[in-house]
Protein backbone atom coordinates (compact mmCIF):
# COMPACT_ATOMS: atom_id res chain seq x y z
CA UNK A 1 0.00 0.00 0.00
CA UNK A 2 1.37 3.40 -0.88
CA UNK A 3 0.91 6.66 0.99
CA UNK A 4 -1.02 9.47 -0.59
CA UNK A 5 0.65 12.87 -0.99
CA UNK A 6 2.17 14.44 2.12
CA UNK A 7 3.66 12.81 5.18
CA UNK A 8 2.18 11.12 8.19
CA UNK A 9 2.45 13.87 10.83
CA UNK A 10 3.51 12.19 14.11
CA UNK A 11 4.08 15.55 15.79
CA UNK A 12 0.65 16.90 14.92
CA UNK A 13 -1.01 13.80 16.42
CA UNK A 14 0.99 14.17 19.64
CA UNK A 15 0.00 17.85 19.80
CA UNK A 16 -3.69 17.04 19.43
CA UNK A 17 -3.43 14.46 22.22
CA UNK A 18 -1.67 16.93 24.53
CA UNK A 19 -3.75 19.97 23.78
CA UNK A 20 -7.33 18.78 23.32
CA UNK A 21 -9.22 18.54 26.58
CA UNK A 22 -12.12 16.55 25.15
CA UNK A 23 -11.09 13.00 24.22
CA UNK A 24 -13.80 12.57 21.59
CA UNK A 25 -12.85 15.78 19.80
CA UNK A 26 -9.21 14.70 19.95
CA UNK A 27 -10.07 11.34 18.36
CA UNK A 28 -12.09 13.07 15.62
CA UNK A 29 -9.22 15.45 14.85
CA UNK A 30 -6.62 12.71 14.81
CA UNK A 31 -8.74 10.74 12.35
CA UNK A 32 -9.00 13.78 10.05
CA UNK A 33 -5.24 14.12 10.30
CA UNK A 34 -4.34 10.47 9.52
CA UNK A 35 -7.00 9.69 6.96
CA UNK A 36 -5.11 11.15 3.95
CA UNK A 37 -2.16 8.79 4.65
CA UNK A 38 -3.72 5.79 6.27
CA UNK A 39 -6.67 4.33 4.41
CA UNK A 40 -9.45 2.68 6.37
CA UNK A 41 -13.21 2.42 6.03
CA UNK A 42 -14.20 1.73 9.61
CA UNK A 43 -12.43 2.35 12.87
CA UNK A 44 -13.52 1.20 16.32
CA UNK A 45 -12.17 1.47 19.83
CA UNK A 46 -13.08 -1.35 22.18
CA UNK A 47 -12.61 -1.33 25.93
CA UNK A 48 -11.96 -4.36 28.04
CA UNK A 49 -15.10 -5.06 30.07
CA UNK A 50 -13.89 -5.04 33.67
CA UNK A 51 -16.71 -7.19 35.03
CA UNK A 52 -17.02 -9.78 32.24
CA UNK A 53 -13.52 -10.48 31.00
CA UNK A 54 -14.66 -12.17 27.76
CA UNK A 55 -16.64 -9.08 26.70
CA UNK A 56 -15.64 -5.79 25.14
CA UNK A 57 -17.50 -2.49 25.25
CA UNK A 58 -17.38 -0.23 22.23
CA UNK A 59 -16.16 3.26 23.16
CA UNK A 60 -15.93 4.93 19.78
CA UNK A 61 -16.70 3.93 16.20
CA UNK A 62 -16.70 5.71 12.88
CA UNK A 63 -17.35 4.68 9.32
CA UNK A 64 -15.51 6.99 6.95
CA UNK A 65 -14.96 5.43 3.58
CA UNK A 66 -16.73 2.65 1.78
CA UNK A 67 -18.03 1.43 5.13
CA UNK A 68 -20.50 4.30 5.17
CA UNK A 69 -22.68 2.73 2.52
CA UNK A 70 -22.43 -0.81 3.83
CA UNK A 71 -25.40 -0.30 6.13
CA UNK A 72 -26.18 -3.26 8.36
CA UNK A 73 -23.18 -5.17 7.02
CA UNK A 74 -20.81 -2.79 8.79
CA UNK A 75 -17.90 -4.66 10.25
CA UNK A 76 -16.36 -3.34 13.45
CA UNK A 77 -14.12 -6.29 14.28
CA UNK A 78 -15.36 -7.16 17.76
CA UNK A 79 -13.98 -10.73 17.46
CA UNK A 80 -10.55 -9.41 16.60
CA UNK A 81 -10.77 -6.92 19.46
CA UNK A 82 -11.36 -9.80 21.90
CA UNK A 83 -8.35 -11.71 20.58
CA UNK A 84 -6.18 -8.58 20.76
CA UNK A 85 -7.17 -7.88 24.36
CA UNK A 86 -6.90 -11.49 25.54
CA UNK A 87 -3.48 -12.09 23.99
CA UNK A 88 -2.13 -8.54 24.21
CA UNK A 89 -0.95 -8.74 20.65
CA UNK A 90 -1.47 -7.24 17.20
CA UNK A 91 -3.88 -9.29 15.07
CA UNK A 92 -4.03 -8.98 11.30
CA UNK A 93 -6.82 -10.74 9.41
CA UNK A 94 -6.92 -10.63 5.63
CA UNK A 95 -8.79 -12.72 3.04
CA UNK A 96 -6.58 -15.64 1.97
CA UNK A 97 -7.26 -15.34 -1.76
CA UNK A 98 -9.45 -13.35 -4.12
CA UNK A 99 -11.61 -15.65 -6.18
CA UNK A 100 -12.60 -13.93 -9.41
CA UNK A 101 -16.07 -12.30 -9.58
CA UNK A 102 -16.42 -12.25 -5.79
CA UNK A 103 -17.94 -9.17 -4.19
CA UNK A 104 -14.69 -7.61 -3.07
CA UNK A 105 -16.44 -5.06 -0.87
CA UNK A 106 -17.56 -7.91 1.38
CA UNK A 107 -13.92 -8.83 2.06
CA UNK A 108 -12.61 -7.06 5.09
CA UNK A 109 -8.97 -6.50 5.96
CA UNK A 110 -8.87 -6.16 9.72
CA UNK A 111 -6.06 -4.83 11.83
CA UNK A 112 -6.40 -4.98 15.61
CA UNK A 113 -3.92 -3.37 18.01
CA UNK A 114 -3.84 -3.45 21.81
CA UNK A 115 -4.28 -0.18 23.70
CA UNK A 116 -1.56 -0.52 26.30
CA UNK A 117 -1.10 1.78 29.29
CA UNK A 118 0.83 1.64 32.56
CA UNK A 119 -2.00 -0.43 34.05
CA UNK A 120 -2.10 -3.05 31.27
CA UNK A 121 -4.28 -3.59 28.20
CA UNK A 122 -7.18 -1.12 28.27
CA UNK A 123 -8.77 -2.28 25.05
CA UNK A 124 -8.22 -2.59 21.32
CA UNK A 125 -8.13 -0.36 18.28
CA UNK A 126 -9.47 -1.96 15.11
CA UNK A 127 -9.08 -0.67 11.55
CA UNK A 128 -11.26 -2.19 8.83
CA UNK A 129 -10.62 -1.89 5.11
CA UNK A 130 -13.11 -3.27 2.66
CA UNK A 131 -11.47 -4.77 -0.42
CA UNK A 132 -7.96 -4.09 0.80
CA UNK A 133 -5.27 -3.26 0.05
CA UNK A 134 -3.18 -5.16 2.60
CA UNK A 135 -1.61 -3.25 5.45
CA UNK A 136 2.05 -2.42 4.63
CA UNK A 137 4.94 -2.47 7.11
CA UNK A 138 4.86 1.35 7.22
CA UNK A 139 1.17 1.30 8.00
CA UNK A 140 1.69 -1.19 10.78
CA UNK A 141 4.21 1.18 12.38
CA UNK A 142 1.84 4.12 11.95
CA UNK A 143 -1.06 2.10 13.36
CA UNK A 144 1.01 1.16 16.44
CA UNK A 145 1.81 4.84 16.95
CA UNK A 146 -1.87 5.80 16.64
CA UNK A 147 -2.84 3.03 19.10
CA UNK A 148 -0.26 4.26 21.63
CA UNK A 149 -1.60 7.84 21.35
CA UNK A 150 -5.21 6.64 21.67
CA UNK A 151 -4.26 4.60 24.75
CA UNK A 152 -2.82 7.77 26.33
CA UNK A 153 -6.01 9.67 25.53
CA UNK A 154 -8.24 7.02 27.04
CA UNK A 155 -6.06 6.69 30.12
CA UNK A 156 -6.36 10.46 30.60
CA UNK A 157 -10.14 10.27 30.09
CA UNK A 158 -10.36 7.54 32.75
CA UNK A 159 -8.18 9.56 35.12
CA UNK A 160 -10.38 12.63 34.61
CA UNK A 161 -13.46 10.56 35.37
CA UNK A 162 -11.84 9.25 38.54
CA UNK A 163 -10.86 12.78 39.59
CA UNK A 164 -14.43 13.98 39.00
CA UNK A 165 -15.82 11.08 41.03
CA UNK A 166 -13.38 11.93 43.85
CA UNK A 167 -14.41 15.59 43.73
CA UNK A 168 -18.05 14.57 43.92
CA UNK A 169 -17.36 12.21 46.82
CA UNK A 170 -15.38 14.83 48.73
CA UNK A 171 -18.03 17.52 48.21
CA UNK A 172 -20.63 14.97 49.42
CA UNK A 173 -18.49 14.38 52.52
CA UNK A 174 -18.20 18.15 53.07
CA UNK A 175 -21.97 18.46 52.65
CA UNK A 176 -22.53 15.67 55.15
CA UNK A 177 -20.17 17.34 57.64
CA UNK A 178 -22.14 20.57 57.20
CA UNK A 179 -25.32 18.59 57.64
CA UNK A 180 -24.14 17.05 60.92
CA UNK A 181 -23.29 20.45 62.36
CA UNK A 182 -26.52 22.02 61.03
CA UNK A 183 -28.66 19.18 62.31
CA UNK A 184 -26.92 19.08 65.70
CA UNK A 185 -27.70 22.77 66.05
CA UNK A 186 -31.26 22.28 64.80
CA UNK A 187 -31.89 19.45 67.27
CA UNK A 188 -30.17 21.10 70.18
CA UNK A 189 -32.14 24.37 70.01
CA UNK A 190 -35.67 22.92 70.45
CA UNK A 191 -34.38 20.31 72.90
CA UNK A 192 -32.91 23.18 74.94
CA UNK A 193 -36.31 24.84 75.06
CA UNK A 194 -38.10 21.61 75.98
CA UNK A 195 -35.61 20.79 78.71
CA UNK A 196 -35.60 24.38 80.06
CA UNK A 197 -39.36 24.82 80.23
CA UNK A 198 -40.08 21.35 81.61
CA UNK A 199 -37.40 21.75 84.31
CA UNK A 200 -38.94 25.11 85.19
CA UNK A 201 -42.43 23.62 85.43
CA UNK A 202 -41.17 20.77 87.62
CA UNK A 203 -39.46 23.04 90.15
CA UNK A 204 -40.79 22.27 93.58
CA UNK A 205 -39.97 25.70 95.00
CA UNK A 206 -42.18 27.60 92.55
CA UNK A 207 -45.90 27.77 91.91
CA UNK A 208 -47.08 28.69 88.39
CA UNK A 209 -50.44 30.18 87.61
CA UNK A 210 -52.58 28.46 85.01
CA UNK A 211 -51.82 30.98 82.19
CA UNK A 212 -48.03 30.61 82.66
CA UNK A 213 -48.25 26.82 82.84
CA UNK A 214 -50.27 26.88 79.63
CA UNK A 215 -47.76 29.17 77.88
CA UNK A 216 -44.79 26.98 78.89
CA UNK A 217 -46.57 23.78 77.85
CA UNK A 218 -47.49 25.36 74.48
CA UNK A 219 -43.83 26.19 73.88
CA UNK A 220 -42.87 22.61 74.74
CA UNK A 221 -45.53 21.29 72.37
CA UNK A 222 -44.46 23.60 69.52
CA UNK A 223 -40.81 22.66 69.90
CA UNK A 224 -41.69 18.95 69.99
CA UNK A 225 -43.76 19.43 66.80
CA UNK A 226 -40.81 21.19 65.18
CA UNK A 227 -38.54 18.28 66.12
CA UNK A 228 -41.02 15.76 64.71
CA UNK A 229 -41.20 17.75 61.45
CA UNK A 230 -37.43 17.95 61.22
CA UNK A 231 -36.99 14.23 61.77
CA UNK A 232 -39.72 13.48 59.20
CA UNK A 233 -37.90 15.72 56.70
CA UNK A 234 -34.62 13.91 57.30
CA UNK A 235 -36.23 10.50 56.82
CA UNK A 236 -38.21 11.64 53.82
CA UNK A 237 -35.19 13.18 52.16
CA UNK A 238 -33.26 9.94 52.48
CA UNK A 239 -36.21 7.95 51.07
CA UNK A 240 -36.45 10.43 48.20
CA UNK A 241 -32.69 10.17 47.68
CA UNK A 242 -33.19 6.48 46.92
CA UNK A 243 -36.45 7.15 45.02
CA UNK A 244 -38.63 4.99 47.23
CA UNK A 245 -41.25 7.53 48.23
CA UNK A 246 -44.54 6.44 46.65
CA UNK A 247 -46.81 9.08 45.09
CA UNK A 248 -50.56 8.65 45.44
CA UNK A 249 -52.03 10.50 42.52
CA UNK A 250 -55.63 11.44 41.89
CA UNK A 251 -57.43 14.05 39.80
CA UNK A 252 -57.10 17.43 41.44
CA UNK A 253 -58.30 20.92 40.64
CA UNK A 254 -54.91 22.65 40.74
CA UNK A 255 -56.08 26.24 41.29
CA UNK A 256 -58.30 25.12 44.19
CA UNK A 257 -55.37 23.28 45.77
CA UNK A 258 -53.27 26.47 45.57
CA UNK A 259 -56.07 28.57 47.10
CA UNK A 260 -56.62 26.06 49.92
CA UNK A 261 -52.91 25.87 50.75
CA UNK A 262 -52.68 29.69 50.72
CA UNK A 263 -55.70 29.92 53.06
CA UNK A 264 -54.11 27.47 55.48
CA UNK A 265 -50.91 29.54 55.60
CA UNK A 266 -52.87 32.78 55.96
CA UNK A 267 -54.78 31.40 58.92
CA UNK A 268 -51.44 31.24 60.75
CA UNK A 269 -49.64 34.27 59.28
CA UNK A 270 -52.56 36.70 59.29
CA UNK A 271 -50.91 39.72 57.65
CA UNK A 272 -49.33 37.78 54.77
CA UNK A 273 -50.39 39.25 51.41
CA UNK A 274 -50.97 36.59 48.76
CA UNK A 275 -52.00 37.45 45.18
CA UNK A 276 -53.33 34.75 42.87
CA UNK A 277 -53.33 35.12 39.11
CA UNK A 278 -54.72 32.05 37.33
CA UNK A 279 -54.84 31.99 33.52
CA UNK A 280 -55.94 28.35 33.60
CA UNK A 281 -57.84 26.24 36.10
CA UNK A 282 -56.81 22.72 35.22
CA UNK A 283 -57.78 19.35 36.63
CA UNK A 284 -54.66 17.18 36.69
CA UNK A 285 -53.53 13.88 38.11
CA UNK A 286 -51.18 14.63 41.00
CA UNK A 287 -50.49 13.66 44.58
CA UNK A 288 -52.32 16.68 46.01
CA UNK A 289 -50.87 16.27 49.52
CA UNK A 290 -47.35 16.30 48.13
CA UNK A 291 -47.94 19.29 45.84
CA UNK A 292 -49.49 21.14 48.76
CA UNK A 293 -46.39 20.18 50.79
CA UNK A 294 -44.21 21.79 48.07
CA UNK A 295 -46.26 25.00 48.15
CA UNK A 296 -46.22 25.06 51.96
CA UNK A 297 -42.45 24.79 51.92
CA UNK A 298 -42.19 27.70 49.46
CA UNK A 299 -44.51 29.74 51.70
CA UNK A 300 -42.43 28.93 54.78
CA UNK A 301 -39.23 29.90 52.97
CA UNK A 302 -40.67 33.22 51.80
CA UNK A 303 -41.90 33.96 55.31
CA UNK A 304 -38.44 33.08 56.70
CA UNK A 305 -36.16 34.59 54.05
CA UNK A 306 -38.32 37.38 52.60
CA UNK A 307 -40.19 38.57 55.71
CA UNK A 308 -42.96 41.10 55.07
CA UNK A 309 -42.85 40.52 51.32
CA UNK A 310 -46.12 39.92 49.46
CA UNK A 311 -46.33 36.62 47.59
CA UNK A 312 -47.60 36.24 44.05
CA UNK A 313 -48.71 32.90 42.66
CA UNK A 314 -49.61 32.55 39.00
CA UNK A 315 -50.80 29.56 37.01
CA UNK A 316 -50.26 29.40 33.23
CA UNK A 317 -49.97 26.75 30.53
CA UNK A 318 -47.27 25.95 27.98
CA UNK A 319 -47.56 23.25 25.28
CA UNK A 320 -46.33 20.54 27.68
CA UNK A 321 -46.76 21.89 31.20
CA UNK A 322 -48.90 23.77 33.67
CA UNK A 323 -46.60 26.30 35.27
CA UNK A 324 -46.92 27.56 38.83
CA UNK A 325 -44.85 30.68 39.44
CA UNK A 326 -44.29 31.42 43.10
CA UNK A 327 -42.64 34.82 43.66
CA UNK A 328 -41.63 36.95 46.59
CA UNK A 329 -39.98 40.37 46.49
CA UNK A 330 -37.50 39.64 49.25
CA UNK A 331 -33.70 40.04 49.26
CA UNK A 332 -33.16 37.43 46.51
CA UNK A 333 -30.23 35.07 46.09
CA UNK A 334 -26.83 35.65 44.44
CA UNK A 335 -26.58 33.91 41.05
CA UNK A 336 -23.59 31.74 42.09
CA UNK A 337 -25.70 30.02 44.75
CA UNK A 338 -28.71 29.22 42.55
CA UNK A 339 -27.37 25.99 40.96
CA UNK A 340 -26.96 24.41 44.43
CA UNK A 341 -30.33 25.37 45.85
CA UNK A 342 -32.03 22.01 45.27
CA UNK A 343 -29.15 19.98 46.67
CA UNK A 344 -29.72 18.01 49.84
CA UNK A 345 -28.57 19.93 52.96
CA UNK A 346 -27.68 23.06 50.97
CA UNK A 347 -28.19 26.43 52.60
CA UNK A 348 -27.00 29.69 51.03
CA UNK A 349 -23.85 30.75 52.95
CA UNK A 350 -24.67 33.28 55.64
CA UNK A 351 -28.34 32.27 55.86
CA UNK A 352 -29.51 32.75 59.41
CA UNK A 353 -32.45 31.32 61.30
CA UNK A 354 -33.47 27.72 61.60
CA UNK A 355 -33.27 25.37 58.64
CA UNK A 356 -31.70 22.14 57.50
CA UNK A 357 -31.36 22.66 53.74
CA UNK A 358 -33.77 19.79 53.09
CA UNK A 359 -36.93 21.66 52.10
CA UNK A 360 -36.13 22.54 48.48
CA UNK A 361 -34.43 19.17 47.92
CA UNK A 362 -37.67 17.45 48.94
CA UNK A 363 -39.78 19.84 46.80
CA UNK A 364 -37.64 19.19 43.75
CA UNK A 365 -37.84 15.42 44.20
CA UNK A 366 -41.62 15.54 44.57
CA UNK A 367 -41.98 17.56 41.35
CA UNK A 368 -39.53 15.19 39.66
CA UNK A 369 -41.63 12.21 40.74
CA UNK A 370 -44.59 13.83 38.94
CA UNK A 371 -42.57 14.02 35.72
CA UNK A 372 -42.28 17.78 36.20
CA UNK A 373 -39.45 20.26 36.61
CA UNK A 374 -38.64 22.75 39.33
CA UNK A 375 -36.36 25.76 38.88
CA UNK A 376 -35.52 29.05 40.50
CA UNK A 377 -34.90 32.56 39.24
CA UNK A 378 -33.55 35.27 41.49
CA UNK A 379 -31.51 38.42 41.59
CA UNK A 380 -30.21 40.12 44.71
CA UNK A 381 -32.66 42.82 45.75
CA UNK A 382 -35.24 41.70 43.18
CA UNK A 383 -36.92 38.82 44.99
CA UNK A 384 -37.05 35.12 44.22
CA UNK A 385 -39.31 33.14 41.89
CA UNK A 386 -39.73 29.37 42.00
CA UNK A 387 -41.16 27.74 38.89
CA UNK A 388 -42.98 24.45 39.12
CA UNK A 389 -43.79 22.74 35.84
CA UNK A 390 -46.28 19.88 35.99
CA UNK A 391 -46.95 17.81 32.87
CA UNK A 392 -50.30 18.76 31.35
CA UNK A 393 -51.38 15.29 30.28
CA UNK A 394 -54.97 16.44 30.15
CA UNK A 395 -57.56 14.50 32.05
CA UNK A 396 -59.99 12.79 29.67
CA UNK A 397 -63.63 13.94 29.68
CA UNK A 398 -64.50 10.68 31.40
CA UNK A 399 -61.93 11.36 34.14
CA UNK A 400 -63.20 14.91 34.54
CA UNK A 401 -66.76 13.66 34.93
CA UNK A 402 -65.65 11.19 37.59
CA UNK A 403 -63.77 13.98 39.33
CA UNK A 404 -66.92 16.18 39.28
CA UNK A 405 -68.94 13.28 40.75
CA UNK A 406 -66.35 12.79 43.48
CA UNK A 407 -66.75 16.49 44.28
CA UNK A 408 -70.55 16.34 44.54
CA UNK A 409 -70.45 13.08 46.51
CA UNK A 410 -68.13 14.50 49.14
P1 LIG B 1 -33.87 25.54 54.74
O1 LIG B 1 -34.95 26.58 54.62
O2 LIG B 1 -34.19 24.49 55.73
O3 LIG B 1 -32.52 26.15 54.94
P2 LIG B 1 -34.42 24.92 51.96
O4 LIG B 1 -33.95 23.76 51.15
O5 LIG B 1 -35.89 25.12 52.04
O6 LIG B 1 -33.76 24.74 53.38
O7 LIG B 1 -33.76 26.23 51.36
C1 LIG B 1 -32.39 26.24 51.03
C2 LIG B 1 -31.83 27.64 51.10
O8 LIG B 1 -32.35 28.43 50.02
C3 LIG B 1 -32.19 28.39 52.35
O9 LIG B 1 -31.29 28.07 53.40
C4 LIG B 1 -32.03 29.84 51.88
O10 LIG B 1 -30.67 30.20 51.97
C5 LIG B 1 -32.42 29.80 50.40
N1 LIG B 1 -33.79 30.24 50.14
C6 LIG B 1 -34.88 29.45 49.98
N2 LIG B 1 -35.98 30.17 49.69
C7 LIG B 1 -35.60 31.47 49.65
C8 LIG B 1 -36.27 32.71 49.38
N3 LIG B 1 -37.57 32.75 49.12
N4 LIG B 1 -35.52 33.85 49.42
C9 LIG B 1 -34.18 33.81 49.67
N5 LIG B 1 -33.50 32.67 49.93
C10 LIG B 1 -34.18 31.52 49.92
Amino acid sequence: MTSRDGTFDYLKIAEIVNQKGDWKQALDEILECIFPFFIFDNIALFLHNQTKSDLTDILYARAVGRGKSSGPDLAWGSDIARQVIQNNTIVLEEPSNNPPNSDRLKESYLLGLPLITSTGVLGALVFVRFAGPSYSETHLIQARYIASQFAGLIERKNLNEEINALHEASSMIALQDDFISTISHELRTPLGFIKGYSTTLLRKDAVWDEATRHEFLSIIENEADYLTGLIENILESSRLQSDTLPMQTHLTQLDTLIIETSARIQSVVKDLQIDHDFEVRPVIRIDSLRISQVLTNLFNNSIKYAPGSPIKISLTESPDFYIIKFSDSGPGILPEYLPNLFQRFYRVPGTGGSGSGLGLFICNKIIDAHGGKMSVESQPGMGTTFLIKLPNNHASNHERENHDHEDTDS
Side-chain angles (χ1 to χ4, degrees):
M1 145 126 204
T2 51
S3 284
R4 299 179 198 176
D5 289 337
T7 47
F8 186 89
D9 198 340
Y10 290 90
L11 192 62
K12 173 99 180 130
I13 294 171
E15 273 172 11
I16 296 173
V17 169
N18 289 331
Q19 289 165 14
K20 274 276 159 215
D22 181 296
W23 66 273
K24 238 184 200 154
Q25 268 181 15
L27 283 181
D28 287 341
E29 275 191 30
I30 292 172
L31 292 193
E32 297 306 322
C33 175
I34 62 174
F35 193 58
F37 315 107
F38 189 97
I39 294 174
F40 58 89
D41 294 294
N42 291 356
I43 183 169
L45 276 170
F46 293 88
L47 288 190
H48 187 198
N49 188 307
Q50 299 299 331
T51 42
K52 290 189 179 155
S53 57
D54 57 333
L55 286 184
T56 53
D57 299 323
I58 198 147
L59 176 73
Y60 178 95
R62 257 183 84 179
V64 285
R66 291 157 291 187
K68 268 186 173 167
S69 54
S70 309
D73 295 334
L74 279 182
W76 299 110
S78 50
D79 288 343
I80 279 228
R82 254 191 302 277
Q83 285 177 50
V84 167
I85 293 169
Q86 268 162 17
N87 305 324
N88 186 5
T89 179
I90 295 180
V91 176
L92 189 59
E93 205 176 272
E94 301 190 336
S96 47
N97 51 18
N98 270 340
N101 300 328
S102 69
D103 181 355
R104 292 187 66 239
L105 269 182
K106 288 220 169 101
E107 290 173 349
S108 26
Y109 290 65
L110 294 147
L111 171 61
L113 305 110
L115 298 168
I116 305 169
T117 64
S118 54
T119 52
V121 183
L122 271 185
L125 167 66
V126 178
F127 289 103
V128 185
R129 283 178 184 167
F130 297 111
S134 299
Y135 297 92
S136 70
E137 268 309 308
T138 313
H139 284 100
L140 285 179
I141 294 169
Q142 289 172 345
R144 282 177 60 188
Y145 179 74
I146 296 166
S148 74
Q149 294 297 323
F150 281 6
L153 260 181
I154 296 166
E155 190 171 42
R156 194 174 71 199
K157 163 190 166 295
N158 290 348
L159 274 176
N160 280 342
E161 283 171 1
E162 275 170 33
I163 290 170
N164 287 344
L166 278 174
H167 274 309
E168 249 173 54
S170 69
S171 73
M172 198 61 216
I173 290 169
L175 220 54
Q176 277 167 354
D177 284 349
D178 280 357
F179 169 70
I180 290 169
S181 61
T182 308
I183 287 300
S184 313
H185 171 78
E186 287 297 299
L187 292 173
R188 208 175 286 137
T189 313
L191 277 176
F193 278 114
I194 292 170
K195 172 81 180 147
Y197 282 102
S198 50
T199 308
T200 309
L201 281 174
L202 285 169
R203 274 175 60 177
K204 292 207 168 71
D205 57 346
V207 179
W208 306 105
D209 60 56
E210 194 47 39
T212 312
R213 273 170 57 84
H214 188 265
E215 188 196 338
F216 287 3
L217 285 169
S218 301
I219 293 171
I220 292 173
E221 187 183 34
N222 284 344
E223 296 301 321
D225 286 348
Y226 174 78
L227 274 180
T228 310
L230 181 64
I231 289 163
E232 264 166 21
N233 263 356
I234 295 170
L235 290 176
E236 185 152 295
S237 81
S238 76
R239 278 195 299 253
L240 281 164
Q241 182 86 328
S242 53
D243 288 329
T244 52
L245 195 78
M247 295 288 141
Q248 290 180 345
T249 62
H250 39 250
L251 288 176
T252 308
Q253 185 85 40
L254 190 54
D255 50 306
T256 310
L257 181 75
I258 296 173
I259 302 251
E260 283 171 1
T261 312
S262 304
R264 216 166 5 87
I265 296 289
Q266 232 158 6
S267 70
V268 185
V269 188
K270 300 262 186 307
D271 53 356
L272 184 66
Q273 188 191 324
I274 307 173
D275 296 323
H276 296 117
D277 178 11
F278 300 149
E279 258 179 38
V280 279
R281 295 177 181 275
V283 174
I284 52 171
R285 185 168 286 285
I286 48 172
D287 186 327
S288 57
L289 279 179
R290 293 275 170 210
I291 298 294
S292 177
Q293 179 186 352
V294 170
L295 294 168
T296 304
N297 191 76
L298 295 184
F299 272 120
N300 287 338
N301 277 356
S302 291
I303 293 162
K304 260 196 292 184
Y305 306 120
S309 154
I311 290 168
K312 189 174 169 191
I313 309 174
S314 70
L315 187 51
T316 53
E317 186 177 13
S318 75
D320 298 322
F321 296 101
Y322 291 115
I323 304 163
I324 304 172
K325 253 189 184 186
F326 189 107
S327 311
D328 65 48
S329 47
I333 302 165
L334 282 169
E336 61 258 42
Y337 301 133
L338 294 178
N340 302 322
L341 224 59
F342 297 107
Q343 272 184 27
R344 200 173 174 210
F345 311 137
Y346 184 80
R347 303 194 80 209
V348 170
T351 302
S354 63
S356 56
L358 291 172
L360 288 177
F361 167 82
I362 293 174
C363 291
N364 188 39
K365 286 281 182 185
I366 290 173
I367 300 304
D368 226 37
H370 280 81
K373 288 178 190 147
M374 188 158 177
S375 58
V376 57
E377 292 167 357
S378 186
Q379 272 182 26
M382 308 286 284
T384 304
T385 296
F386 287 94
L387 287 126
I388 298 169
K389 293 184 176 176
L390 291 166
N392 61 0
N393 22 24
H394 290 271
S396 65
N397 285 343
H398 174 69
E399 282 187 313
R400 272 173 178 276
E401 272 166 27
N402 279 349
H403 173 71
D404 293 344
H405 283 311
E406 275 167 29
D407 272 359
T408 40
D409 291 350
S410 57

